[in-house]
Amino acid sequence: MDERGIDSIELRDYQQLLYNICVNKNSILYLPTGSGKTLIAIKVIDHFNDDLKKPLSEGGKRSLFLVNTVVLANQIHHEIKNMLGLKVACWNSETRKTTWSKERYQNEFENHQVFVATAQLFLDAIKHSFISIQQINVIIFDECHHGRLNHPYHELMKMFKYIDPLDQPRVVGLSGMLIGISSSVNETTVKDELKVLESTFLSTIVTVHRLEEYKNVLLYSTNPTENFITYNMLEPCDLATQLIAKVDNIRWNLSNMKFANLLTINPQTLRKTAPKKLKELSLLFEDFKNELKEMGIFGGYLALKGIKVQYELVKKQPNQHKDILTVVDICIEGVEEMLTMIEDEVDMKNLTANDLIENSSYKIRILFGLLKKMFTESRVRDLQCLIFMTRRFTAKCCYHLFKKYSELEPSFPIIPDFVVGVNSELPESIDEALNSNNNKDAIERFRMKQSNCICASSVLEEGIDLQMCNLVVMYDYPMTFRSYIQTKGRARTVDSNYIVMLPTQKKQSFLFKRDVYEKINLSLKKMLVMKACDRELDEDGIENERREVWEPLITKRRALLNNISAVALLNRYVSRFGNANLMWTREDKGPGRIIAILKLPPKTKIHGVIRSDPFDDIKLSKQNAAFKACTKLHDIGELDEHLMPKYY
């Protein structure tokens, strides 16, 4: 066995206490960022190490660490491998690019002891019964507060109802905030939120027991100095006003173009509409307008350059409809005209650093001034900064703006980089070129201090371990409790700073929200710190979280199909017939009575239409029709007992 880094690590007192609880009962571990939740979880896996050494055929078990992102999966995989010296597999969209057979899954399970996986991949393997929950001795759910509604965490925990309690694995949830995506939560509804979380994971929330211990936790946790910087939103200059008018005119003309031959069924509403691609082509101009207003003329210029690249990528795609190409040509012509308008006003070929600043918005000037001050006057050496932005496009434009300014002004202390999520629904966009390798490289450069400032979207808010970060700037102020807590938690080192940029007119409303956030945090502390951890779970709550919309299909091999997985499975089945597509329509029978009507491609063995039961939600109607189709396909042998399409 390889060297075990875990043997040289001694747990702090509060970590040891919580570890003892987690190995003995299902628990949701609530600790702030930086206090060692992941270490405790890895120690729990190590506690069940004896099971991992045996082959499955001799009663051996496997341990599972579930995460929500590819980047985090790679990070946790590396940590567990180094700490435990075990055979650790990493399942994510990078390592598993093709559909695996049952034999491949079983081989993976036989030859590895611990699995770090993105949640959906592992859920698929469980639902198809390629592996069973009974083969697992412990499941760690990282950032478990995501496990609500239709999230893969929630779906996986629902399947526990089919397993004898004696055969169920130990469950350990990790969270630094407990509250999920809900933006409506307040200090009076926190208790209900926690009850739902505990019912979902069959676990009680545990944290430190005594106030003295909590103070000790804070010594190791993030607690940055918080500051607010306000700025005035100025009226756009004459050139910006002309550019906005130009964009509005282009979009108005596009909206009035008739594309009868291109009308498609919207997959969400099942109504006839213009193709999504046409809407996306037009909406790119909204990206430009946003950057023009937010960043000024030069930021808008960078946005236009990026948008032009995206249009040209669309044009190069094979087999594009002539109407799509017509729209692309109109858009490119409009972009080129606006680039010329800017270049007539600003000499881009002989641009100076002062020119760039003068043609930037007041908000950008404030940001530049802040960064210059922090990096030149701060007591903290080697500042490492994250700048969070709501929009991915803004993050990329800001990166290019910093990069250009650095070229023009060598004394500028910023070495920029950027990390944003990928829009998988727009494969022809520039986002496709930004694959996960770019994100990994940017994060590694930041860790190695080859860069000192990452412009990021929300993809970096949660989970990624950047312990060297000591300055967080919220270019766009946080809109939810979750965003506020998570971004603040990115400032990891002692003497860190957390700075929120606010429009002057929004300051009071944000401070009111922040007060609500602090009250929520205080409510959590009052309910959990210094409270006993032996609370009884709410049986009615558990039953409610396990409830299915309708009875699932369970095959002889124990594969399971419910409303959540029906549409994806049907699409997988149809994909075997090449370019054939499902045909969807809808029928409205009155309030609360929407029927989805489905017709499979002619090459399939199901002919005629399939009608859903009536629902008040078109999404449920569509899922119901897909579920009926999959059930029929299974009945006639087109889907096997693992609910996989048969290939001939």
Side-chain angles (χ1 to χ4, degrees):
M1 182 175 288
D2 297 334
E3 291 185 10
R4 289 165 41 88
I6 197 79
D7 294 332
S8 62
I9 298 175
E10 185 175 346
L11 295 181
R12 301 165 191 149
D13 289 345
Y14 70 85
Q15 291 174 329
Q16 185 66 49
L17 173 69
L18 295 172
Y19 160 78
N20 291 338
I21 295 171
C22 290
V23 297
N24 286 295
K25 63 189 292 290
N26 289 352
S27 306
I28 295 171
L29 187 55
Y30 171 53
L31 286 172
T33 301
S35 54
K37 295 186 294 292
T38 302
L39 175 60
I40 296 172
I42 294 174
K43 285 284 287 185
V44 171
I45 292 174
D46 190 46
H47 175 81
F48 295 98
N49 199 341
D50 288 345
D51 288 338
L52 306 180
K53 299 173 183 176
K54 303 175 188 175
L56 294 174
S57 58
E58 297 177 12
K61 300 276 188 176
R62 300 296 179 255
S63 294
L64 175 62
F65 200 120
L66 290 180
V67 298
N68 286 293
T69 66
V70 172
V71 176
L72 193 53
N74 292 329
Q75 175 183 307
I76 298 296
H77 171 255
H78 179 74
E79 289 183 26
I80 295 178
K81 195 172 182 180
N82 286 343
M83 284 194 181
L84 300 185
L86 297 172
K87 295 177 181 178
V88 186
C90 187
W91 290 1
N92 58 49
S93 57
E94 290 181 351
T95 60
R96 213 213 71 175
K97 295 181 181 293
T98 59
T99 301
W100 286 358
S101 65
K102 178 183 179 181
E103 290 71 27
R104 175 63 187 273
Y105 277 110
Q106 291 177 334
N107 184 60
E108 285 275 312
F109 242 56
E110 195 64 59
N111 292 305
H112 295 89
Q113 297 158 309
V114 181
F115 294 83
V116 181
T118 47
Q120 187 62 55
L121 280 182
F122 201 86
L123 176 64
D124 290 344
I126 293 290
K127 279 194 168 183
H128 286 291
S129 195
F130 293 142
I131 52 182
S132 70
I133 294 176
Q134 290 95 322
Q135 293 175 304
I136 304 166
N137 59 5
V138 58
I139 304 180
I140 310 296
F141 291 91
D142 190 59
E143 307 292 359
C144 67
H145 50 267
H146 287 294
R148 301 292 304 278
L149 302 175
N150 300 332
H151 190 277
Y153 285 178
H154 193 272
E155 281 293 289
L156 181 57
M157 287 306 304
K158 278 164 60 176
M159 298 186 71
F160 274 51
K161 69 180 178 181
Y162 303 108
I163 303 169
D164 188 298
L166 295 177
D167 292 328
Q168 293 175 5
R170 171 72 65 245
V171 172
V172 179
L174 308 180
S175 180
M177 55 178 297
L178 299 177
I179 306 299
I181 60 174
S182 174
S183 59
S184 60
V185 67
N186 55 56
E187 66 270 24
T188 61
T189 60
V190 167
K191 188 174 182 179
D192 293 334
E193 291 282 325
L194 301 188
K195 184 180 291 187
V196 168
L197 195 66
E198 290 185 323
S199 297
T200 297
F201 290 97
L202 306 177
S203 304
T204 49
I205 299 167
V206 298
T207 189
V208 292
H209 287 182
R210 296 189 298 274
L211 186 59
E212 292 76 16
E213 290 172 339
Y214 185 72
K215 290 178 180 178
N216 188 34
V217 170
L218 293 180
L219 293 176
Y220 302 99
S221 308
T222 59
N223 188 28
T225 301
E226 190 168 354
N227 288 294
F228 306 97
I229 293 181
T230 57
Y231 59 91
N232 294 316
M233 294 293 293
L234 304 179
E235 291 296 318
C237 65
D238 290 343
L239 177 57
T241 301
Q242 294 170 29
L243 291 166
I244 291 170
K246 178 75 174 175
V247 166
D248 291 341
N249 184 57
I250 293 172
R251 294 202 68 199
W252 186 86
N253 288 332
L254 290 176
S255 68
N256 284 281
M257 294 178 71
K258 304 300 181 184
F259 298 105
N261 295 330
L262 280 179
L263 290 180
T264 60
I265 299 296
N266 183 299
Q268 276 73 48
T269 65
L270 300 190
R271 298 186 189 278
K272 283 189 176 182
T273 183
K276 183 179 179 182
K277 188 174 292 184
L278 284 177
K279 294 180 180 178
E280 289 169 342
L281 293 174
S282 177
L283 282 172
L284 285 174
F285 282 113
E286 285 302 304
D287 284 331
F288 163 64
K289 279 178 63 175
N290 182 77
E291 306 318 322
L292 182 65
K293 293 175 181 178
E294 283 281 314
M295 305 180 76
I297 295 297
F298 190 76
Y301 183 77
L302 292 174
L304 281 175
K305 289 280 192 179
I307 289 168
K308 184 179 178 182
V309 171
Q310 295 193 53
Y311 285 137
E312 289 171 344
L313 286 172
V314 174
K315 196 170 182 177
K316 291 178 181 178
Q317 290 291 309
N319 304 318
Q320 289 285 18
H321 193 281
K322 64 178 182 178
D323 288 344
I324 296 287
L325 294 176
T326 298
V327 171
V328 171
D329 286 336
I330 292 171
C331 292
I332 290 176
E333 182 181 354
V335 168
E336 289 176 341
E337 288 176 2
M338 288 187 285
L339 286 171
T340 300
M341 289 170 65
I342 295 174
E343 289 165 353
D344 287 344
E345 292 285 334
V346 182
D347 186 359
M348 293 296 176
K349 292 182 179 179
N350 299 298
L351 190 74
T352 66
N354 285 337
D355 292 334
L356 188 153
I357 294 297
E358 288 176 4
N359 286 281
S360 294
S361 67
Y362 186 59
K363 182 177 182 179
I364 288 294
R365 296 181 198 182
I366 291 290
L367 178 61
F368 267 87
L370 167 67
L371 294 177
K372 285 181 179 180
K373 181 177 180 180
M374 293 299 296
F375 275 82
T376 57
E377 299 180 11
S378 174
R379 295 175 301 161
V380 180
R381 298 180 61 188
D382 297 326
L383 276 181
Q384 295 288 109
C385 174
L386 295 179
I387 303 177
F388 283 104
M389 294 152 175
T390 302
R391 298 163 64 95
R392 291 171 300 179
F393 202 70
T394 304
K396 287 186 278 188
C397 286
C398 194
Y399 158 74
H400 285 291
L401 191 148
F402 285 158
K403 187 177 179 183
K404 184 63 178 178
Y405 189 80
S406 296
E407 294 171 2
L408 299 172
E409 182 55 71
S411 64
F412 187 53
I414 300 300
I415 307 171
D417 221 322
F418 73 96
V419 172
V420 298
V422 177
N423 183 1
S424 60
E425 295 184 355
L426 191 63
E428 67 275 16
S429 78
I430 199 169
D431 275 328
E432 184 69 9
L434 179 72
N435 57 32
S436 59
N437 287 332
N438 186 86
N439 282 349
K440 286 192 296 185
D441 291 345
I443 291 169
E444 188 59 27
R445 285 191 292 268
F446 190 76
R447 285 178 174 149
M448 299 298 293
K449 298 190 176 181
Q450 295 169 358
S451 69
N452 59 14
C453 180
I454 293 181
C455 302
S457 63
S458 60
V459 71
L460 277 190
E461 283 187 6
E462 191 169 81
I464 303 302
D465 186 18
L466 295 172
Q467 294 186 9
M468 71 297 300
C469 176
N470 45 26
L471 173 61
V472 171
V473 177
M474 297 301 294
Y475 179 85
D476 297 307
Y477 61 92
M479 298 293 290
T480 65
F481 172 74
R482 171 188 171 277
S483 179
Y484 175 70
I485 295 297
Q486 294 289 6
T487 54
K488 197 172 178 180
R490 294 306 96 202
R492 296 292 299 272
T493 67
V494 179
D495 295 329
S496 293
N497 285 277
Y498 179 74
I499 299 173
V500 180
M501 298 182 66
L502 289 164
T504 303
Q505 60 270 37
K506 296 285 186 180
K507 182 176 181 180
Q508 290 306 314
S509 62
F510 174 75
L511 291 179
F512 175 79
K513 273 189 175 182
R514 177 179 171 273
D515 186 52
V516 172
Y517 299 158
E518 293 298 339
K519 287 179 180 177
I520 293 172
N521 235 350
L522 184 61
S523 296
L524 289 171
K525 304 295 184 296
K526 286 181 177 179
M527 279 186 273
L528 299 172
V529 178
M530 300 182 291
K531 303 293 182 182
C533 63
D534 55 355
R535 297 184 303 280
E536 293 292 328
L537 291 175
D538 180 1
E539 293 298 328
D540 290 338
I542 293 172
E543 183 60 32
N544 186 58
E545 293 306 312
R546 288 177 167 182
R547 187 173 294 120
E548 298 279 5
V549 180
W550 54 76
E551 192 67 25
L553 167 66
I554 301 177
T555 71
K556 295 176 183 177
R557 294 284 186 180
R558 308 303 295 171
L560 183 143
L561 177 72
N562 64 0
N563 66 304
I564 304 301
S565 49
V567 174
L569 177 58
L570 187 59
N571 283 329
R572 174 184 284 186
Y573 169 76
V574 170
S575 69
R576 60 182 276 210
F577 299 102
N579 293 325
N581 293 313
L582 299 169
M583 294 181 61
W584 291 96
T585 54
R586 63 181 280 164
E587 189 176 294
D588 292 274
K589 290 289 190 178
R593 293 178 57 80
I594 305 170
I595 295 174
I597 303 171
L598 168 65
K599 185 173 177 59
L600 274 66
K603 292 181 180 179
T604 68
K605 293 190 177 182
I606 294 182
H607 305 292
V609 299
I610 295 175
R611 297 170 61 87
S612 74
D613 297 334
F615 291 91
D616 60 0
D617 182 351
I618 184 59
K619 184 176 181 179
L620 281 176
S621 299
K622 186 177 177 181
Q623 290 174 343
N624 186 252
F627 181 84
K628 288 183 176 182
C630 289
T631 301
K632 285 188 177 183
L633 290 169
H634 175 256
D635 289 343
I636 63 176
E638 286 292 282
L639 294 175
D640 65 20
E641 293 303 311
H642 288 284
L643 293 176
M644 291 295 289
K646 286 191 174 180
Y647 294 90
Y648 301 99

